[in-house]
Amino acid sequence: MKFVVALTSLFVGTALLVSCGKPAPTVREQEAAQARSVASLSGWDRLFAAPQETIGAINQAGFALGGYAAKDEGFIATGQPRMFSNSNAKAPNTTSVVVAGKSAESIDTVTYALSLTDPVDATTARMRLAQTVGEFLGR
């Protein structure tokens, strides 16, 4: 049995840089601009408009999401499943996370998926998923 929690943005924010004969900004300038734009965001806007911040918050829970990289016709970051069951279970319950969007500047969905393969610890796994998602949203 698989449970999925998906958070989806209702809008897509985009930022366009128009070059008027000026040299491209340095990496440091780009990072500073990103930090300034993220600092002004809060709530759901911060979750969906700041992919690196969102991935960092998810990684604090141990999901080891990789970079938000181009794949097919969008962008995606996937991580390692985390065990949400007794370590001595034959087939432990696991949770995984996928972050996806249409552009590098924004996220459309954050999906937590819980695979229940150990019925003995199913209730505990559900509670741990709810706690993990709650802590993530609290950040």
Side-chain angles (χ1 to χ4, degrees):
M1 181 181 293
K2 194 173 227 181
F3 291 92
V4 176
V5 177
L7 307 171
T8 306
S9 72
L10 299 176
F11 62 93
V12 176
T14 59
L16 299 175
L17 296 174
V18 179
S19 174
C20 298
K22 297 178 185 177
T26 66
V27 171
R28 216 173 250 185
E29 291 169 337
Q30 291 174 14
E31 288 174 351
Q34 176 66 21
R36 282 190 303 275
S37 69
V38 169
S40 65
L41 299 174
S42 64
W44 294 110
D45 292 337
R46 189 177 188 109
L47 170 72
F48 292 109
Q52 296 311 316
E53 294 257 336
T54 300
I55 289 168
I58 292 169
N59 281 340
Q60 288 179 358
F63 286 98
L65 285 170
Y68 192 56
K71 183 173 182 185
D72 298 328
E73 294 183 24
F75 287 78
I76 193 166
T78 57
Q80 301 297 316
R82 288 201 47 219
M83 187 172 26
F84 274 18
S85 189
N86 267 329
S87 58
N88 61 356
K90 222 177 197 181
N93 300 317
T94 59
T95 299
S96 60
V97 181
V98 175
V99 174
K102 293 180 182 81
S103 74
E105 293 81 24
S106 65
I107 294 170
D108 295 324
T109 60
V110 176
T111 305
Y112 285 82
L114 174 63
S115 296
L116 294 175
T117 53
D118 179 16
V120 173
D121 274 345
T123 300
T124 302
R126 286 184 190 106
M127 288 180 2
R128 286 189 66 197
L129 175 62
Q131 180 183 10
T132 299
V133 172
E135 289 172 356
F136 163 66
L137 292 175
R139 290 187 191 106

